[in-house]
Amino acid sequence: MSEAASPGAKALIPNPALKPLEFLVGDWLTAGTHPMVPGERLNGRTSFSWHEGGAFLVMRSEVDHPQFPDGVAIIGSSDAGRFVMIYFDERGVSRIYEVTVGEGTVSWLREDPDFSQSATIRADEGGARLVGKGRIKQGEDWADDLSQVFTRDGVAGSAA
């Protein structure tokens, strides 16, 4: 084996199927709300970055509140146009979500009889801001979950 190249090096290239997600790439400050903590502003940070030369998109997130875990997720695609996200957090929770990608939007959904969850993030203000809306289902009915506004880290007035 050549010392110049590591195994799989030729595959460390952008995945063209993930190009519609490039609006997410960057570091974001977040401000959110959650019904579990009414009246509290939930500040945090989220980053989206290309992994392995763009073969995958990685999301890292944290909310500055002890009831919300730090997490990491990897988004990838199949040749059939299917997108998936695998998520892991500091509690040891690991979940797989189906992902839907649109123009300036991304949504993920996990349907499970005991605990279903979804989130949609859409670009706003020409991509300078993202708006995220989470939903949760335990039992029969969907309810609000974590909702956030994302502003680019370092932009004046961030996470207002």
Side-chain angles (χ1 to χ4, degrees):
M1 179 168 67
S2 166
E3 288 186 39
S6 60
K10 292 178 185 173
L12 305 181
I13 59 173
N15 177 346
L18 298 180
K19 185 166 179 54
L21 296 174
E22 68 186 350
F23 75 96
L24 297 169
V25 173
D27 296 320
W28 302 87
L29 297 176
T30 60
T33 60
H34 193 286
M36 189 170 63
V37 287
E40 284 192 51
R41 177 179 157 142
L42 302 170
N43 295 316
R45 298 181 308 151
T46 298
S47 70
F48 292 91
S49 60
W50 296 118
H51 184 58
E52 300 296 353
F56 301 97
L57 183 68
V58 176
M59 176 181 74
R60 292 177 178 87
S61 62
E62 64 183 35
V63 173
D64 299 331
H65 191 287
Q67 290 182 259
F68 297 87
D70 291 3
V72 62
I74 297 176
I75 299 173
S77 70
S78 73
D79 287 340
R82 178 179 177 217
F83 295 88
V84 295
M85 177 174 78
I86 188 160
Y87 166 88
F88 183 78
D89 69 33
E90 67 181 284
R91 303 168 297 180
V93 169
S94 186
R95 298 184 176 130
I96 296 176
Y97 293 82
E98 293 293 324
V99 176
T100 304
V101 178
E103 188 172 327
T105 66
V106 61
S107 298
W108 49 83
L109 171 67
R110 175 183 181 270
E111 292 190 274
D112 181 275
D114 296 321
F115 178 78
S116 296
Q117 198 172 24
S118 73
T120 298
I121 297 175
R122 66 176 169 78
D124 200 11
E125 298 179 6
R129 185 173 92 139
L130 304 175
V131 177
K133 176 76 173 161
R135 305 280 289 161
I136 190 170
K137 181 179 177 186
Q138 290 181 290
E140 297 297 317
D141 299 318
W142 284 94
D144 288 341
D145 197 18
L146 181 63
S147 293
Q148 295 175 299
V149 173
F150 301 69
T151 53
R152 289 213 183 264
D153 195 357
V155 175
S158 291

